[in-house]
Amino acid sequence: MNVLPRLAGNTPPKLRRRSVMLGIAAYGVALLLLQLAYVIKLIGFQGAVASAVLIVVVNLGFYIVFKVELNKRAADTSLMLAQTLAAITVIMFIAYHFERERSLALAWCLVVMLFGVFRFKPRDFVTTTLFMLAGYAMVINLLMSFKPQQVDVLIEWYQWAWLALLLPAFALIGARISAMRARILRSNEELTNALATIQDMATHDSLTGLPNRAALSEVLQHAVTKATRSKDGLAIFFIDLDNFKSINDSLGHPAGDQLLREMARRIRVSIRESDLVARLGGDEFVVMVENGADRVGLRLLAAKILAAIGEQTQLQGHDVKVTASLGIAVFPSDGNDVAALLANADMAMYRAKALGRARINEYSADLGEDAVERFEIEKGMRAGMQNNEFHLYYQPKIDFNSGRMLGVEALIRWHHPTLGVLGPDRFIPIAESTNFIIPLGKWVIEQACRQSKAWKDAGVASFPIAVNLSVNQLADSSLALHVSETLRISGADPSMIELEITETAVMRNLEESIAILEAFRALGVRLAIDDFGTGYSSLAYLKQLPVDILKVDRAFVKDLPHNRDDLAITRAVIAMAHGLSMKVVAEGVEEKHQFDSLRAEGCDEFQGFYCRPAMQSHELEALLDRHGLAIPPEK
Ligand code: C2E
Ligand code: MG
Ligand code: MG
């Protein structure tokens, strides 16, 4: 369909009726002047009639030429030069018949030339000038031959010479003016084209040439208004390619761009001419189906689009197959305005992804609160980061022997504008699945380094801050570099930063993990294995790991000291860790008996509500202000 008609380009100059009317008017004036000339006896009766006839004949001739469109064969369809030459011929004819004051007739030549200003090229002015001078010379000769009694040759030649001097100057000025006019026309045309380009850029996606979000909203708005009035069907498909990012990452951005263009083309040819496909950005497309089919028809069309997307694609010598997830929202049942329709189609698409991708999902109001919340979380994370809604909370780590705080663990919280304060369990898994964990994880490291430096500068006692790393962050090859850059830029002391990696993450690929841990080690930061004991891995691999700290998972602490198995495991882990010169930190110590039992087993440090939950930096500062590092148990 024709989205926002692109500005018309430069329309070719049409031959307008106006030109004809102008010609008739000019000749009308000429006839009038001729009559006047007769009245004041400049011209005789016969001469006047002959001239009038000639004027009418010439005018009629041109009228016919234009009527049968003979002029279309000429380069200049207005036949300006031909008309001018004809007019000069007529003037010369009249001048010949003037009985005195011939110069008055000749003055008309200048008027005729004025018309040329609008279309003549300099060459045309030269032609006209020469034609005029030649014409007048001929008139003088004819007068000398046929009306010698009426002509004062000297005066006529004097007039001729006067014209010969004046006309070139006139032609020169005319040429200038017409060149200026041409320039103005040209820049006007350029301006129109530039405007068209700007409008095009504002409403179209430069990569695929499809309408963009702005254009889509506008068209959708029209469609919604129309559908409200006519009760015609209207539906929205929200399409998102599955795993597009991995193609971008593995084959490079040019390949990703090529894929997007190809997918745009495939969607375009799958739908009717009257439907619309727009690209919202990234790998998201929206199709608007008007006058649409029923639900079954919509599903069939959606399936056709997914099939087209799923066909094999050649990308830089690789055979690639992509799939997409598609959400459907129908007006007005699934949303009665543009925003609701789009949001619900998006949510339906999102659900299609959650159901395992490469599928179609129709919006239904009971998509489930979970899905809605998950959706809100996923969609809101990027904005949340921009709006500084993420915060690091700090939980003290306490030394069993001295009871003093030896460090803190940084735990992220999201102060969500509508959902309240969210713990990491609510959004970290989602961030991992969308890879948002990479920028988020970087922010955590930066924030921890900044905080460490700020505390140092403020003279708060120095202690390490432990930062949690997720599995996907470990897989990001630029992580070590980022950590080292962050340390350098923030000015934080590397030995005051600790990185926590879960046992499960380490065990994913032991060899690779060891290499990564070594790289971190080289930066001077301390390393801890988090949630130890949940990975069901053999203790033997521990000695291969270049780590300083082992954090025993909360699950083993929970039932201490009553659960004999947990006690035995804890005891073995502590012994083993100490044998490898690692410190052992117990997580989730909530009660005094847990505390006592771990202390008796020789555990080094603990974290838990028994001392304090994680708190904001200013709360921790207040706590340290009050107690120094010797924070008393809360209970
Ligand atoms: P974790 O690293 O094992 O962190 C310890 C978790 O136990 C924290 O939960 C903490 O608040 C909680 N906890 C501490 N003491 C007690 C206690 O006495 N009783 C109980 N029941 N819980 C206690 P939180 O803050 O909800 O964090 C959960 C997990 O989310 C963390 O487990 C960590 O794996 C992850 N996480 C937190 N912050 C980040 C982060 O910045 N980046 C990444 N990648 N993961 C993070
Ligand atoms: Mg941790
Ligand atoms: Mg843990």
Side-chain angles (χ1 to χ4, degrees):
M1 82 177 284
N2 188 15
V3 190
L4 309 173
R6 298 171 183 215
L7 277 184
N10 187 27
T11 44
K14 274 184 282 178
L15 178 78
R16 279 149 302 192
R17 192 157 284 253
R18 215 183 54 185
S19 318
V20 180
M21 300 308 290
L22 210 71
I24 292 175
Y27 280 95
V29 171
L31 283 173
L32 204 71
L33 284 171
L34 196 62
Q35 197 188 353
L36 269 176
Y38 169 69
V39 171
I40 58 172
K41 296 199 169 40
L42 289 178
I43 189 167
F45 181 71
Q46 277 184 354
V49 170
S51 301
V53 169
L54 187 64
I55 288 174
V56 172
V57 166
V58 168
N59 200 16
L60 216 66
F62 274 107
Y63 180 74
I64 291 168
V65 167
F66 282 115
K67 192 76 188 168
V68 300
E69 301 197 332
L70 263 176
N71 61 317
K72 295 247 163 98
R73 300 200 189 156
D76 171 18
T77 51
S78 69
L79 302 182
M80 195 45 126
L81 186 61
Q83 290 202 66
T84 310
L85 297 184
I88 292 170
T89 311
V90 171
I91 291 167
M92 289 308 158
F93 184 83
I94 295 171
Y96 175 77
H97 284 92
F98 259 43
E99 287 163 2
R100 58 195 178 89
E101 306 294 343
R102 208 159 279 116
S103 57
L104 289 175
L106 290 172
W108 292 10
C109 285
L110 303 183
V111 177
V112 167
M113 231 173 172
L114 267 181
F115 283 97
V117 159
F118 296 110
R119 282 202 191 279
F120 274 5
K121 299 197 178 64
R123 208 186 49 212
D124 299 333
F125 279 110
V126 174
T127 311
T128 318
T129 305
L130 292 177
F131 190 78
M132 250 180 232
L133 291 175
Y136 187 32
M138 205 168 89
V139 167
I140 297 173
N141 277 307
L142 287 173
L143 284 171
M144 279 161 57
S145 305
F146 297 107
K147 303 186 195 172
Q149 72 289 358
Q150 273 187 21
V151 61
D152 185 335
V153 176
L154 276 182
I155 289 186
E156 296 300 337
W157 282 118
Y158 177 80
Q159 254 169 209
W160 187 93
W162 179 82
L163 265 185
L165 282 176
L166 181 73
L167 283 179
F170 210 78
L172 201 74
I173 295 168
R176 278 282 168 91
I177 294 177
S178 78
M180 249 153 69
R181 181 175 179 270
R183 252 207 317 277
I184 291 172
L185 281 179
R186 207 169 38 245
S187 51
N188 199 12
E189 184 187 329
E190 281 166 9
L191 211 67
T192 312
N193 289 344
L195 259 175
T197 315
I198 290 171
Q199 196 191 26
D200 206 64
M201 275 161 53
T203 54
H204 288 79
D205 161 43
S206 61
L207 180 68
T208 59
L210 293 180
N212 61 13
R213 186 186 287 274
L216 173 75
S217 307
E218 201 174 317
V219 175
L220 256 182
Q221 192 56 58
H222 281 290
V224 162
T225 315
K226 206 169 91 193
T228 313
R229 241 187 290 118
S230 66
K231 303 271 179 281
D232 280 345
L234 173 66
I236 292 291
F237 292 176
F238 206 109
I239 306 170
D240 190 294
L241 303 183
D242 300 326
N243 298 324
F244 173 67
K245 196 180 173 306
S246 65
I247 290 186
N248 239 349
D249 289 347
S250 55
L251 298 181
H253 283 266
D257 287 353
Q258 191 191 333
L259 182 75
L260 287 175
R261 273 194 295 268
E262 175 60 14
M263 293 306 137
R265 191 191 65 78
R266 288 186 192 177
I267 300 173
R268 175 73 272 181
V269 299
S270 304
I271 60 176
R272 289 179 308 189
E273 188 63 17
S274 59
D275 294 336
L276 167 85
V277 52
R279 178 171 172 237
L280 290 199
D283 55 352
E284 290 179 340
F285 297 91
V286 165
V287 173
M288 181 186 90
V289 190
E290 264 186 311
N291 304 323
D294 48 13
R295 292 260 175 188
V296 179
L298 287 174
R299 273 199 157 258
L300 285 176
L301 177 60
K304 185 176 158 197
I305 294 174
L306 289 196
I309 289 176
E311 273 170 33
Q312 191 151 309
T313 318
Q314 268 276 328
L315 276 187
Q316 306 190 339
H318 299 267
D319 284 334
V320 177
K321 271 195 171 189
V322 282
T323 59
S325 304
L326 190 153
I328 303 179
V330 178
F331 177 83
S333 54
D334 302 341
N336 54 13
D337 60 36
V338 173
L341 260 186
L342 273 176
N344 289 344
D346 190 4
M347 185 147 11
M349 180 282 295
Y350 181 80
R351 184 89 185 121
K353 286 231 188 256
L355 290 172
R357 308 186 166 183
R359 66 192 65 216
I360 300 161
N361 183 57
E362 286 175 54
Y363 174 80
S364 69
D366 59 332
L367 269 180
E369 273 190 17
D370 274 5
V372 176
E373 186 194 293
R374 213 189 124 102
F375 182 78
E376 220 173 303
I377 288 176
E378 181 183 326
K379 290 282 151 183
M381 268 190 287
R382 207 164 289 278
M385 187 141 105
Q386 265 152 20
N387 299 338
N388 299 321
E389 288 164 15
F390 289 98
H391 298 268
L392 286 189
Y393 280 49
Y394 301 91
Q395 182 174 41
K397 291 204 266 184
I398 309 291
D399 181 28
F400 273 112
N401 290 321
S402 64
R404 293 169 75 84
M405 185 183 96
L406 293 188
V408 292
E409 176 174 10
L411 295 160
I412 192 166
R413 302 284 181 268
W414 181 2
H415 293 193
H416 193 282
T418 54
L419 300 172
V421 178
L422 302 181
D425 296 341
R426 299 272 289 278
F427 59 87
I428 293 279
I430 299 175
E432 297 219 27
S433 72
T434 60
N435 248 336
F436 185 68
I437 192 70
I438 301 298
L440 186 66
K442 285 184 172 166
W443 176 84
V444 171
I445 294 167
E446 286 160 13
Q447 184 58 24
C449 287
R450 274 195 295 266
Q451 185 65 75
S452 174
K453 175 79 164 95
W455 275 333
K456 187 176 160 196
D457 290 348
V460 177
S462 68
F463 45 81
I465 300 180
V467 172
N468 292 283
L469 296 184
S470 90
V471 194
N472 290 5
Q473 270 180 290
L474 273 192
D476 175 16
S477 53
S478 67
L479 182 63
L481 185 67
H482 176 255
V483 173
S484 103
E485 278 298 287
T486 308
L487 284 169
R488 190 178 59 76
I489 293 166
S490 64
D493 179 353
S495 67
M496 290 296 128
I497 298 295
E498 230 169 74
L499 299 178
E500 293 190 6
I501 299 141
T502 62
E503 180 190 10
T504 347
V506 171
M507 292 312 291
R508 275 250 179 126
N509 185 341
L510 190 57
E511 302 262 294
E512 211 172 281
S513 300
I514 292 174
I516 294 167
L517 294 178
E518 298 282 9
F520 285 139
R521 249 255 160 120
L523 298 177
V525 299
R526 300 209 296 172
L527 298 172
I529 299 292
D530 203 355
D531 301 348
F532 187 78
T534 55
Y536 305 105
S537 41
S538 103
L539 290 183
Y541 78 92
L542 259 184
K543 65 171 183 291
Q544 302 178 43
L545 296 177
V547 298
D548 314 276
I549 298 152
L550 210 64
K551 298 187 75 175
V552 180
D553 193 70
R554 200 161 69 225
F556 299 95
V557 173
K558 199 166 64 140
D559 297 328
L560 287 184
H562 319 294
N563 188 318
R564 300 195 146 267
D565 291 345
D566 289 350
L567 194 63
I569 292 171
T570 312
R571 188 173 291 155
V573 168
I574 292 172
M576 174 110 178
H578 284 168
L580 294 168
S581 311
M582 296 176 188
K583 291 208 166 228
V584 181
V585 178
E587 299 184 310
V589 176
E590 296 182 354
E591 306 294 341
K592 176 132 179 26
H593 54 262
Q594 294 166 336
F595 171 85
D596 290 338
S597 138
L598 284 159
R599 182 149 92 158
E601 294 304 330
C603 189
D604 302 287
E605 297 167 29
F606 79 95
Q607 255 176 272
F609 301 164
Y610 178 63
C611 175
R612 289 295 185 288
M615 61 195 95
Q616 303 212 52
S617 55
H618 62 89
E619 295 172 304
L620 181 68
E621 287 159 21
L623 196 66
L624 293 175
D625 256 0
R626 232 175 305 133
H627 305 289
L629 289 173
I631 302 169
E634 191 144 55
K635 309 200 168 180

